[in-house]
Amino acid sequence: MKEKIQILINEEELQKRIKEIALEIKNDFNGEEVVFCSVLKGAVFFTVDLMKNYDGDCSLECVRVSSYEGENSTGKITLKIPLKKENIEGKNIVIVEDIVDTGRTFKYLVEYIKDFNPKCVKTCTLLDKKARRVVQFDADYVGFSIDDLFVIGYGLDYDEKYRNLPYIAIVKND
Ligand code: IMP
Ligand code: MG
């Protein structure tokens, strides 16, 4: 099966904005070391390009969570790959996500990471679907705000496919 897709944010726009975010983070941390905490799997592509453009001391940690919609729509987050306390405690953490939708994943992760006593926790997302929020959440760094559309590419999947596209696209249902 081959879905019809339409480009929403092209490669050049993505890379330009990622450079700006990397600089913004660098300036905010004022020379202090940063730990980029990438949320697998979706944020892998974004994290790589963000770090390649980050001109400062930094390291990489990864965490994996799954989100489920319960029958009563409460939503449930399950931790699949945890972080190690020694890599978080006393450090400046920037959680890197592909997209904020309901806000549940970020809310869960910020609380989870705060339990490890970091020096500070900031949140960074490539895409933000504000209209879909279920829990109140605003990321510190946002690449692009988008409408309530299902998007794929650059790490984001549709049934585990399309993560390899170098741009963000919409699946057309016609
Ligand atoms: P939240 O907890 O609802 O904010 O969920 C965010 C997660 O849902 C993201 O990390 C993605 O994995 C997934 N997600 C949300 N919207 C999309 C989309 O449009 N395309 C692909 N994945 C999405
Ligand atoms: Mg994700």
Side-chain angles (χ1 to χ4, degrees):
M1 183 181 69
K2 203 80 193 139
E3 289 81 21
K4 271 196 181 168
I5 62 168
Q6 182 191 317
I7 296 179
L8 183 69
I9 306 168
N10 70 34
E11 213 175 338
E12 197 184 334
E13 291 170 307
L14 281 176
Q15 296 303 326
K16 179 173 176 278
R17 184 72 188 115
I18 292 167
K19 280 192 175 69
E20 290 169 359
I21 299 171
L23 191 62
E24 208 183 319
I25 297 173
K26 168 82 191 308
N27 290 339
D28 285 357
F29 284 98
N30 221 356
E32 284 190 33
E33 193 181 326
V34 171
V35 179
F36 289 102
C37 181
S38 186
V39 185
L40 303 177
K41 305 176 195 169
V44 166
F45 289 62
F46 176 40
T47 309
V48 167
D49 284 336
L50 185 67
M51 289 186 73
K52 278 160 68 177
N53 283 284
Y54 191 81
D55 180 23
D57 285 349
C58 60
S59 61
L60 171 66
E61 296 299 329
C62 294
V63 65
R64 182 160 178 212
V65 290
S66 286
S67 43
Y68 296 97
E69 273 298 313
E71 275 166 35
N72 53 6
S73 282
T74 51
K76 186 184 183 305
I77 310 290
T78 310
L79 186 63
K80 298 278 185 185
I81 299 176
L83 292 161
K84 287 202 170 95
K85 185 175 181 180
E86 65 261 35
N87 297 327
I88 304 296
E89 196 167 27
K91 308 217 169 137
N92 295 311
I93 310 297
V94 177
I95 308 174
V96 184
E97 253 286 41
D98 49 1
I99 189 164
V100 196
D101 189 27
T102 64
R104 287 184 181 120
T105 303
F106 253 132
K107 186 170 183 284
Y108 172 92
L109 283 172
V110 168
E111 282 165 18
Y112 170 65
I113 286 174
K114 278 189 174 164
D115 278 350
F116 291 149
N117 297 317
K119 184 171 180 190
C120 83
V121 184
K122 297 273 189 196
T123 53
C124 175
T125 185
L126 180 65
L127 306 172
D128 190 359
K129 277 199 246 183
K130 273 218 159 65
R132 295 258 312 160
R133 271 320 182 279
V134 171
V135 295
Q136 204 278 322
F137 176 80
D138 286 311
D140 297 299
Y141 307 99
V142 176
F144 302 87
S145 287
I146 61 166
D147 292 338
D148 182 8
L149 301 162
F150 188 81
V151 288
I152 52 164
Y154 198 67
L156 291 137
D157 72 303
Y158 174 67
D159 236 357
E160 290 299 323
K161 290 186 298 179
Y162 300 111
R163 294 192 196 274
N164 56 317
L165 299 177
Y167 46 78
I168 300 291
I170 307 162
V171 179
K172 304 276 277 179
N173 288 319
D174 52 31

